[in-house]
Amino acid sequence: MRSVSKWNVLVRSLGLAVLSISLTAGLASGQDRPSRDGQQNRGNDREQSGRRGMGNMSRMANLTQVVGEEIFRPTYMVRDLNTYARTLDLSRDQQSMIKTLIEDYDAAFRVNVDEIQAELSESRPDLENDPEIIEQREVMRERFQEIRADIEEEIERQREAGEIAEDDRGAVREVWRSRMNGMREEMQASMSDFVQTDRFKTMYAEGSRIISTWINLRAQLDSEFQANLALLLNEDQQAMLPAANREVRRANAASTGRLAGEGTNLINVLREVGIDHDHGDETLVASVATYRIDLDDAIIARDQFLVTQVPSMLNALERSSPKSLQRLVTERVELHEGVRNVHDRYIDLIASQLPEEQASEFMQEALRAGYPRIYSPMGAQRAFDAANKLDSLDPNTREAVA
């Protein structure tokens, strides 16, 4: 018999391409968003836990949500025309033709996405009218009512015994939190068993087939776009096309980033602080050139994995293989970190090659762009406010941060 703890991986993994969003936030961002008072979801615990599990099951049966949004995002967009125009020095006629080319690509891409998503929806089991789901929903509702009554009795007993003061809301919350966590584990165990049924396995197998077909088709659309784009360029522009494509990928990378610091664009930061990174100091120019290449390699590796890992994920779900899922999640996290680490590495390197005043300004703006919750003025103020609330803070330090 499989342990509940292993199969909780399956339950939590489905939403935006396995559980990568929650894992990346917890493992790598360094910018968790704590609740304002430590009580953020208290009301939901009391009123919505009985429904939350069924909602999670519905999401598990929605393959469009399971596979994530990245696979349905076009590689090229109309906004990229400005980047191509600047980097390739396009004439007005070329811009007009390339705009039409991008619009045609986008239209074809979206038509195919609509068809693929329709196929995925058709493969979804009807959970709303499924007798087993309806019965399970009723069982969960009754179980929630039982637990709620037990909690209220336990709180009253502890108050009468003097274990909890009448106005000790913290202790009351802790009783609620402990019992509701137990109920969530029950629901997760129930859902874990359900996703191993034939109806889900059939859905995941069909989803893997559909997505594999789509991956090949979108690769063909991208390849045709690049071939047609090259036909509209002269020889000099064709030679510059790889560099232009790198800039397009870099400009679009922020929308794919999940971690703080992952969407930073150091080229934009250099421009904003007025540093000539193309014709200035030779060492700086060389560093910026290698930054462009290293970043592009990391972006390509990440974005290709975000697309190509989807069939593997669905196959792992079909086989009920939490180890395979965990391996995919780990690789995804590492690739997101890989993009972020390129930025962080070159922030230090570039700053070390600048005069002191420029280095300080560049470092400040780069960190603010990548980690706004920490390095923006508001982020700093939040840190000071948090420090001021510490009981252990000595008076001199409190005055300094006030």
Side-chain angles (χ1 to χ4, degrees), residues 7 11 23 32 43 61 83 98 125 139 152 163 194 284 288 312 341:
W7 285 100
V11 174
L23 282 182
D32 297 337
T83 302
I98 292 174
V139 169
E152 291 172 350
E163 298 173 11
F194 193 76
L284 176 62
V288 172
S312 298
N341 292 344

Side-chain angles (χ1 to χ4, degrees), residues 248-276:
V248 166
R249 283 190 289 269
R250 186 172 65 248
N252 293 333
S255 61
T256 315
R258 296 297 184 187
L259 307 182
E262 189 180 358
T264 310
N265 188 334
L266 297 186
I267 304 301
N268 287 348
V269 175
L270 287 165
R271 289 185 185 132
E272 289 168 3
V273 299
I275 297 173
D276 186 353

Side-chain angles (χ1 to χ4, degrees), residues 133-161:
I133 293 295
I134 294 173
E135 180 182 357
Q136 202 166 25
R137 186 182 296 119
E138 186 60 31
V139 169
M140 286 296 175
R141 184 179 294 110
E142 293 174 358
R143 180 64 179 138
F144 174 73
Q145 291 172 350
E146 291 174 4
I147 290 178
R148 179 167 186 163
D150 290 345
I151 291 173
E152 291 172 350
E153 289 179 7
E154 176 66 16
I155 291 171
E156 186 61 28
R157 185 197 65 77
Q158 291 189 31
R159 281 175 171 165
E160 290 177 355

Side-chain angles (χ1 to χ4, degrees), residues 22 36 73 105 112 138 150 176 182 189 232 234 275 307 343 385-386 398:
S22 59
R36 295 177 182 175
R73 183 183 294 123
Y105 163 86
N112 282 283
E138 186 60 31
D150 290 345
W176 270 97
L232 299 175
N234 60 41
I275 297 173
V307 172
H343 296 307
D385 290 343
R398 190 180 303 280

Side-chain angles (χ1 to χ4, degrees), residues 126-137 199:
D126 182 8
L127 298 185
E128 294 300 322
N129 300 308
D130 188 297
E132 188 175 350
I133 293 295
I134 294 173
E135 180 182 357
Q136 202 166 25
R137 186 182 296 119
R199 75 190 78 180

Side-chain angles (χ1 to χ4, degrees), residues 37 39 42 51 57 73 250 254 273 327 365 394:
D37 56 2
Q39 310 166 23
R42 190 170 66 250
R51 295 191 294 269
M57 191 172 292
R73 183 183 294 123
R250 186 172 65 248
V273 299
R327 186 172 61 251
E365 292 302 319
D394 66 77

